[in-house]
Amino acid sequence: MPDRGGGPTGPRIRVGRPSRRVRTLLMTLGVLAVLGMVFTMFAGFWTDWLWYRSVNYSSVFTTTLWTKIGLFFVFGLLMAVAVGFNIWLAHRLRPPLSAMSMEQQNLDRYRMGIAPYKKWLLLGITALVGLIAGASASSQWRTWLMWVNGVPFGQKDPQFKLDVSFYAFDLPWYRFLLGFGFAAAILSVIAAALTHYLYGGLRITSPGARATAAATGHLSVLIGIFVALKAVAYWLDRYGLAVKSSDFKATDSWTGLRYVDANAYLPAKTILFCIAVICALLFFATLWRRTWQLPVIGFGLMVLSAILIGGLYPAIVQKFQVQPNEQAKEAPYVEKNLKATREAYGIDDSKVTDYPGTSQTEDKTKLRDDVGNTASIRIMDPNIVSPTFQQLQQIRNYYAFPTNLDVDRYTKDGKDQDTVIGLRELNLNGIPKRNWINDHFRYTHGYGVVAAEGTSADAGGRPEFTESDLPSKGDLGTYEQRVYYGERTTTYSIVGGPQKEIDYSDDSGEKTYSYKADSGVNLANPLNRAAYAVAFSEPQILYSGAIGEGSRILYNRTPKERVEAIAPWLTIDGDAYPAVVNGKIQWIVDAYTTTNGYPYSSRTTLGDTTADSLTATNDQRAVVAQQNQVNYIRNSVKATVDAYTGEVKLYQWDTQDPVLKTWMKAFPDTVEPKSEISNELMAHLRYPQDLFKVQRELLTRYHVKDATTFLSGSEVWQVPDDPTNKTGDAVPPYYLSMKMPDQQEQVFSLTTTFTPNGRDNLSAFMSVNAEAGTDDYGKIRVLKLPTSTTAAGPKQVQSQFNSEQDIAESIRLLRGGDSEVEYGNLLAVPLDGGLLYVEPVYVRGGGLKYPLLRKVLVTYGGQTAFEDTLEQALDKVFGAEGTPTEPPPGEDEGTGEDEGTTPPPTSDNPTVREALDDAQEAFEAGQEALKKNDWEAYGQAQKDLEDALRRAEEAQAAEGRGGSGGGENSPSPKPSPSS
């Protein structure tokens, strides 16, 4: 048995120490690991700085960075000092050693254990709470900048008569300070109490007093500070009532004071403030009285008062004063909410006009010519025809178009033409061979604009392209066609170096190109290459021979991504759209300033309000919101992103918006004045969709100005579901050139419809002038239908289309074989007191993978038509005699009298007879093509048929003039409606 005495009894076994070489290796590895971590953090910082400098917005980076650093150190230091000082003070106030109880003997082990490390433990605790507090405070950089740069709104709230800027800019900062104070007080109380307990100032089981006088005084002061902060919170809560959200029978997002708030909660908060001040003074008084009796009584009184005065009393007022006579009690506050909400969302100037909903003209044929003057009806749906653009204009597999194309205006023959437009962007998935060089060096950009008339289609149902082919050519003239920045460009490219890029391909082969702009970050610097190799986790960037002098890396390439990075205080509209402006492709991005602190204005959730059937299938169209819950919004900035250089420009669009003015003070020289917008760019600016969707959602309730009607809920509308698909999401708004009843000429507009809450008939039609530069741009017009009428809403119109026997049979035939029918946008146009609905119908079939326009549905005043062309459908609905138009875009399945083309009569004139024989052959060829679902052959047959009928008509006319005989009674071929 070994000796258990105090010394060793045998030789000591020495544990071998690592050799010097091993120690050196371990130390080197440790240093390298630390350096690697440091360089990884540095790489993120350095690449961000390089990117902001490359886009000439380095001030945004530095302002944001220094603000975050300042908040981190100031509030981190304050928290560390507060907690550390109270730990130090509690240790200093520890009682002297005395006869120890069992409790103190147990604690003495811990005291002895931490004695050698007290300073390090204190530094560690304070550093930890300081880091956490600093990180939390740095996230409040927006709140700080808005508070320190706040600009007055020039409007006062109706309750406290304070400028709106107090609620929008000041109150959020005060609440942050209050929250920080509460956190510091609570952590200080916990830290001080634990220290006092550890060193005997507080006792739980020991005999005698439970706390020393020093501990009592120290903790009382800390609790008194907490209660004093609670008093401040009660005082701020008074103003918070003006921006408080609550459920109310009129709306689920009610904001502002109601009767019970003004007459119960407001005085209760004032009383509780006074009680909290008294209670805090009682805690401070323990420095002299050294007893907890009065503070505890005061604290209990405050808690009881909070329950009775702050909770029970308002409930009694609501139950016995408000509910028995709610409309009379709440009406004054509802009026304040109505006024504030309409102002905050820019709908206060909306014009609501009564509209009969039924036509005022008995002879509908007189309205036929009015249709063209009222609207340029778009039959090319930008959300349907993208696959058609893809099939006909993709040219190469490594190009692609966005899922949803855009609608813009371009001048043709001196007239504005609604145009469907898309860019031929890079599609990496279509590259023949995927590797790092191809993905990032050779295939770097898209090429060209493709555009088509929105109001017409060719004989085969295809778009009438106004800009097409590769390189693109057409009506848009000469412009830089290379697309380095686009909606589909989500990866980085390295350009301008020794590796040549594929520009485009034509009959003579591939063309190469080398990027010439100054966009992106120069990779010639080894430090930059190393930083990007780490930031992108791509070591090849560091040593690849494809990178050399002149190489630049392009990233953050989608338009919305660039604008959001440059202006992180803006909310970005979901739909960026391209336009050819002054020889360049410019992406136009609408941006919003928002706040959640507009008094009395009801809140809305941007993500939900802006969702519709398009965002449900394309998340790229979702709004990029800095804060999702808002109760004030302005389209204050129009931004452009150059598709070649990536240059971003921000223009001040709303010159009166105080929120934008505040951010312009915080980030000077980042937003250019409105006067810098060129006339060419102004021609393509439009009213943004997401703002319109927010406003239409608010107008479902806030179109009324009478408090009684608002409270009754009898006039609540809803945005109908999209009847053309089965997603169950809201119908999207549609761009359309049209005129409302009080307008003299057509303007580019954004339109939508409303139905009564829970019903499908039409209740209202809404339009906004979307044409920037016009006098009443942004003017909202609402046509309100009488509640006694049952004008058909979108869902009913779609159901009516599908239920009519002839139409249903035709659609069934269109779906024959492997064909699919796709319904386009259901457009509504006010016409002579009624609503004209037009819906293009597309077919994918016959081996084709893309939709072609085959039919047009039109309904007005109970009359419905389903014809090959819009003109024919309008003629049928209005009972007007059809006139020869362009050949039909597609087929009319069937062989009866109302289906297809009826063969023309015969004639004694040889020329006419020959032409009619050709027409008969073309007709039969078309019918045969229909049976085979061969749309290409059918389109050619229709062209041949039109040519034959034209020759017959010309020969007939010449005969009538005596040029070819036959007599005046010779039959004149009349094209059938489908020709």
Side-chain angles (χ1 to χ4, degrees):
M1 296 292 291
D3 183 2
R4 295 185 184 278
T9 59
R12 178 179 298 175
I13 300 175
R14 300 186 60 185
V15 179
R17 299 179 60 191
S19 65
R20 178 175 297 178
R21 180 178 298 177
V22 173
R23 293 200 306 271
T24 302
L25 177 61
L26 292 175
M27 185 176 296
T28 302
L29 291 175
V31 171
L32 290 176
V34 172
L35 290 177
M37 293 174 60
V38 171
F39 188 77
T40 299
M41 292 186 291
F42 168 78
F45 164 81
W46 184 243
T47 53
D48 285 347
W49 161 249
L50 292 174
W51 186 85
Y52 276 98
R53 190 175 65 175
S54 73
V55 293
N56 299 318
Y57 282 91
S58 55
S59 62
V60 174
F61 179 81
T62 55
T63 299
T64 305
L65 177 65
W66 287 116
T67 302
K68 290 180 178 179
I69 290 174
L71 292 172
F72 177 87
F73 280 105
V74 169
F75 286 95
L77 186 62
L78 285 174
M79 183 65 76
V81 168
V83 175
F85 172 76
N86 282 286
I87 293 175
W88 172 84
L89 183 60
H91 178 266
R92 186 177 180 83
L93 296 175
R94 68 190 183 278
L97 293 176
S98 58
M100 291 198 200
S101 64
M102 184 62 69
E103 179 185 23
Q104 294 303 312
Q105 289 178 14
N106 291 332
L107 289 172
D108 193 49
R109 300 175 187 173
Y110 296 103
R111 288 193 288 264
M112 293 179 65
I114 66 173
Y117 312 106
K118 285 191 295 186
K119 291 184 178 180
W120 290 109
L121 187 60
L122 178 62
L123 288 175
I125 292 173
T126 55
L128 179 62
V129 297
L131 287 172
I132 295 173
S136 176
S138 66
S139 66
Q140 298 293 321
W141 63 272
R142 291 183 178 87
T143 307
W144 161 260
L145 288 176
M146 293 184 78
W147 178 69
V148 77
N149 296 288
V151 172
F153 274 67
Q155 295 173 289
K156 295 184 178 181
D157 79 283
Q159 183 66 40
F160 301 102
K161 309 303 179 185
L162 295 174
D163 192 89
V164 172
S165 62
F166 171 81
Y167 302 93
F169 306 141
D170 300 344
L171 191 57
W173 178 250
Y174 296 153
R175 281 176 164 167
F176 164 72
L177 293 179
L178 190 61
F180 178 83
F182 276 126
I186 292 171
L187 289 175
S188 296
V189 168
I190 294 173
L194 290 174
T195 306
H196 279 300
Y197 176 70
L198 182 63
Y199 287 97
L202 293 177
R203 304 178 183 94
I204 297 176
T205 61
S206 300
R210 298 300 182 200
T212 63
T216 299
H218 184 197
L219 294 177
S220 295
V221 170
L222 290 177
I223 297 174
I225 292 174
F226 176 85
V227 176
L229 291 173
K230 187 61 180 174
V232 176
Y234 281 133
W235 189 256
L236 287 181
D237 285 347
R238 298 168 67 255
Y239 303 108
L241 292 173
V243 289
K244 183 194 72 170
S245 289
S246 60
D247 291 339
F248 193 29
K249 65 180 296 183
T251 171
D252 295 333
S253 57
W254 174 273
T255 301
L257 285 83
R258 292 157 51 191
Y259 180 89
V260 68
D261 297 313
N263 295 277
Y265 281 110
L266 187 57
K269 297 293 184 183
T270 305
I271 295 172
L272 289 172
F273 163 77
C274 297
I275 294 174
V277 170
I278 295 172
C279 186
L281 293 175
L282 291 176
F283 274 103
F284 294 144
T286 57
L287 286 172
W288 297 275
R289 294 180 56 85
R290 304 295 183 179
T291 176
W292 290 86
Q293 186 176 7
L294 285 179
V296 169
I297 293 174
F299 189 78
L301 176 63
M302 187 180 72
V303 173
L304 182 62
S305 300
I307 296 173
L308 297 178
I309 302 175
L312 184 59
Y313 174 62
I316 293 173
V317 171
Q318 177 69 24
K319 179 69 174 178
F320 295 101
Q321 290 191 33
V322 178
Q323 289 185 7
N325 192 17
E326 186 173 41
Q327 288 200 354
K329 296 291 186 182
E330 301 287 13
Y333 304 96
V334 171
E335 290 176 358
K336 296 174 184 178
N337 177 272
L338 286 170
K339 182 175 184 297
T341 302
R342 291 170 63 87
E343 290 173 350
Y345 290 95
I347 58 177
D348 50 325
D349 291 332
S350 58
K351 181 180 179 182
V352 180
T353 307
D354 289 334
Y355 193 69
T358 56
S359 175
Q360 306 301 299
T361 302
E362 293 183 2
D363 186 2
K364 297 297 186 292
T365 58
K366 297 180 179 179
L367 298 178
R368 176 62 183 86
D369 294 334
D370 293 340
V371 175
N373 297 327
T374 301
S376 298
I377 298 175
R378 180 172 42 77
I379 56 175
M380 282 289 111
D381 186 347
N383 307 308
I384 296 289
V385 298
S386 179
T388 308
F389 274 51
Q390 184 86 359
Q391 184 71 21
L392 302 179
Q393 289 297 319
Q394 179 187 22
I395 310 298
R396 293 290 184 269
N397 287 336
Y398 49 81
Y399 294 130
F401 292 92
T403 304
N404 304 105
L405 303 177
D406 291 290
V407 179
D408 202 351
R409 298 92 67 213
Y410 287 87
T411 302
K412 184 175 183 178
D413 299 329
K415 296 182 179 180
D416 283 346
Q417 169 72 49
D418 287 2
T419 302
V420 177
I421 186 171
L423 299 190
R424 192 183 287 110
E425 296 189 44
L426 180 65
N427 174 30
L428 290 178
N429 293 326
I431 294 176
K433 185 177 181 181
R434 299 292 301 274
N435 55 54
W436 189 65
I437 293 295
N438 280 344
D439 286 0
H440 300 290
F441 290 82
R442 287 180 57 76
Y443 294 91
T444 59
H445 59 277
Y447 208 100
V449 172
V450 176
E453 293 183 5
T455 56
S456 63
D458 71 6
R462 295 174 290 266
E464 293 271 13
F465 290 110
T466 58
E467 186 80 8
S468 59
D469 299 333
L470 182 69
S472 295
K473 55 184 178 290
D475 296 343
L476 301 184
T478 303
Y479 57 95
E480 174 56 68
Q481 298 198 17
R482 297 173 181 90
V483 181
Y484 281 87
Y485 295 87
E487 291 180 305
R488 300 179 63 95
T489 316
T490 55
T491 188
Y492 69 90
S493 289
I494 298 175
V495 298
Q499 178 66 59
K500 292 293 184 180
E501 311 163 41
I502 293 178
D503 201 21
Y504 65 91
S505 300
D506 58 14
D507 295 338
S508 60
E510 286 185 352
K511 309 293 183 183
T512 60
Y513 181 74
S514 186
Y515 190 63
K516 295 181 173 56
D518 294 331
S519 181
V521 178
N522 194 336
L523 291 181
N525 186 331
L527 176 63
N528 292 356
R529 293 178 66 170
Y532 279 102
V534 172
F536 289 174
S537 301
E538 185 49 74
Q540 293 186 80
I541 294 177
L542 185 60
Y543 55 78
S544 174
I547 302 176
E549 190 65 31
S551 292
R552 311 183 73 84
I553 185 168
L554 313 180
Y555 62 105
N556 287 353
R557 297 168 71 183
T558 66
K560 292 196 295 184
E561 188 177 31
R562 292 179 77 79
V563 175
E564 183 190 16
I566 284 169
W569 33 273
L570 289 174
T571 290
I572 312 301
D573 189 89
D575 184 26
Y577 61 98
V580 177
V581 181
N582 292 326
K584 300 177 181 178
I585 301 175
Q586 297 281 353
W587 287 99
I588 300 175
V589 183
D590 286 286
Y592 310 109
T593 46
T594 62
T595 182
N596 197 25
Y598 197 99
Y600 271 102
S601 174
S602 291
R603 288 182 171 85
T604 189
T605 304
L606 291 180
D608 296 338
T609 307
T610 58
D612 58 26
S613 61
L614 298 183
T615 61
T617 56
N618 183 6
D619 57 4
Q620 288 186 341
R621 292 181 70 97
V623 64
V624 183
Q626 297 301 333
Q627 56 180 157
N628 205 21
Q629 280 274 335
V630 302
N631 67 353
Y632 171 94
I633 186 170
R634 288 290 185 273
N635 176 213
S636 53
V637 171
K638 300 284 189 181
T640 60
V641 178
D642 192 295
Y644 181 73
T645 66
E647 180 185 21
V648 180
K649 289 186 177 181
L650 307 177
Y651 296 99
Q652 182 184 15
W653 184 247
D654 189 334
T655 58
Q656 305 301 317
D657 177 31
V659 181
L660 178 60
K661 291 179 181 179
T662 295
W663 286 118
M664 290 175 68
K665 282 182 63 179
F667 296 96
D669 302 323
T670 57
V671 181
E672 299 186 28
K674 188 175 183 178
S675 57
E676 292 297 312
I677 299 177
S678 66
N679 293 332
E680 291 79 7
L681 175 59
M682 184 71 76
H684 295 282
L685 300 182
R686 68 188 191 189
Y687 201 81
Q689 291 189 56
D690 284 339
L691 176 60
F692 184 78
K693 286 188 278 189
V694 169
Q695 290 174 326
R696 75 172 179 178
E697 180 63 32
L698 268 295
L699 281 169
T700 58
R701 303 184 304 275
Y702 287 90
H703 62 277
V704 301
K705 299 180 180 180
D706 176 66
T708 302
T709 306
F710 185 83
L711 284 168
S712 71
S714 61
E715 290 290 332
V716 174
W717 300 337
Q718 65 182 13
V719 179
D721 293 340
D722 190 345
T724 64
N725 60 49
K726 298 179 181 180
T727 63
D729 295 285
V731 62
Y734 296 123
Y735 286 107
L736 182 69
S737 288
M738 57 162 290
K739 67 176 182 179
M740 294 288 275
D742 65 331
Q743 292 178 300
Q744 300 302 314
E745 57 185 17
Q746 293 183 23
V747 295
F748 194 61
S749 304
L750 194 54
T751 66
T752 192
T753 53
F754 296 108
T755 58
N757 192 26
R759 298 172 59 194
D760 294 326
N761 58 291
L762 194 69
S763 59
F765 176 85
M766 175 181 171
S767 171
V768 65
N769 182 349
E771 193 162 332
T774 55
D775 292 339
D776 62 348
Y777 166 83
K779 178 71 173 180
I780 296 175
R781 294 174 169 87
V782 179
L783 302 180
K784 179 183 175 184
L785 278 67
T787 56
S788 58
T789 63
T790 55
K795 185 176 181 180
Q796 291 175 325
V797 168
Q798 189 68 47
S799 177
Q800 183 179 347
F801 285 155
N802 297 335
S803 61
E804 289 205 10
Q805 184 175 355
D806 292 343
I807 296 177
E809 178 64 17
S810 298
I811 292 176
R812 187 188 65 79
L813 292 172
L814 289 174
R815 288 196 174 107
D818 60 350
S819 299
E820 296 179 6
V821 172
E822 297 184 29
Y823 294 102
N825 38 217
L826 179 57
L827 302 176
V829 177
L831 178 66
D832 190 51
L835 267 296
L836 173 69
Y837 286 97
V838 179
E839 181 178 69
V841 177
Y842 300 82
V843 175
R844 293 182 193 235
L848 301 178
K849 298 180 180 179
Y850 57 95
L852 297 175
L853 179 67
R854 292 305 184 193
K855 294 286 186 178
V856 179
L857 284 161
V858 174
T859 184
Y860 181 80
Q863 298 295 318
T864 302
F866 184 62
E867 301 297 329
D868 293 333
T869 68
L870 174 62
E871 296 297 320
Q872 294 167 5
L874 291 173
D875 288 343
K876 183 174 181 180
V877 164
F878 291 101
E881 183 176 346
T883 56
T885 60
E886 293 185 358
E891 88 300 345
D892 189 337
E893 299 272 359
T895 57
E897 288 185 354
D898 295 327
E899 307 289 343
T901 304
T902 304
T906 59
S907 171
D908 293 332
N909 187 312
T911 305
V912 174
R913 188 166 54 251
E914 180 183 358
L916 294 179
D917 290 341
D918 292 341
Q920 180 66 33
E921 292 179 5
F923 169 77
E924 292 173 354
Q927 294 302 304
E928 188 66 26
L930 283 178
K931 296 177 183 178
K932 299 178 181 179
N933 281 338
D934 188 345
W935 309 122
E936 297 292 338
Y938 182 80
Q940 183 60 47
Q942 292 293 295
K943 289 183 179 180
D944 295 340
L945 175 60
E946 181 199 17
D947 179 68
L949 291 175
R950 179 181 53 76
R951 288 188 285 111
E953 188 171 10
E954 290 175 353
Q956 185 81 19
E959 180 183 16
R961 293 192 300 269
S964 51
E968 59 184 8
N969 294 323
S970 298
S972 174
K974 179 180 179 181
S976 69
S978 62
S979 59

